[in-house]
Amino acid sequence: MTLLTNELREKFPQVYATEEVSNGEKVVIAKFFQPWGSWTWYAVEFDGEDQFFGLVDGFELEWGYFSLSELESIRGPGSLGIERDMHFGNPKIKDVPALRGRI
């Protein structure tokens, strides 16, 4: 699966562009997930090269930076890779059902 298409790339605000927007109001442009586990990355900004900024739901729920190359390199059982939820839409963080009551 292609994690980041050219069309999707164009939708992202640059890194730091939403710095003044409250965390709950930030818009998720892409949701990446680990199909064999529970890790999920909600990307809200992209530097145009390799770095995303967003909310990571892994061992803890935290805001931070993660890279496209890192997501592409992760392999799980049966060589499964990280996937992008192609039907996720573009909700605000506060409207993501899996995050309600946690942010």
Side-chain angles (χ1 to χ4, degrees):
M1 160 179 270
T2 301
L3 293 182
L4 189 61
T5 63
N6 288 334
E7 179 183 345
L8 190 57
R9 219 178 251 274
E10 294 173 10
K11 292 182 180 183
F12 275 99
Q14 281 291 314
V15 171
Y16 303 116
T18 67
E19 193 170 39
E20 300 299 320
V21 177
S22 70
N23 287 344
E25 294 295 318
K26 292 183 191 297
V27 175
V28 178
I29 306 300
K31 173 189 169 190
F32 304 105
F33 65 96
Q34 179 191 37
W36 65 91
S38 62
W39 282 72
T40 306
W41 297 262
Y42 299 93
V44 300
E45 297 174 348
F46 184 60
D47 72 357
E49 299 288 324
D50 189 55
Q51 289 288 104
F52 292 102
F53 177 75
L55 189 62
V56 180
D57 190 0
F59 293 122
E60 295 182 27
L61 187 64
E62 61 185 333
W63 289 94
Y65 295 90
F66 51 95
S67 71
L68 177 61
S69 58
E70 182 180 22
L71 292 177
E72 290 173 334
S73 72
I74 297 170
R75 290 289 174 255
S79 294
L80 283 173
I82 300 301
E83 295 187 18
R84 177 174 40 90
D85 186 337
M86 298 188 319
H87 306 287
F88 189 68
N90 297 116
K92 292 179 179 180
I93 287 287
K94 70 178 184 179
D95 297 326
V96 176
L99 300 175
R100 287 199 186 121
R102 298 179 62 208
I103 56 169

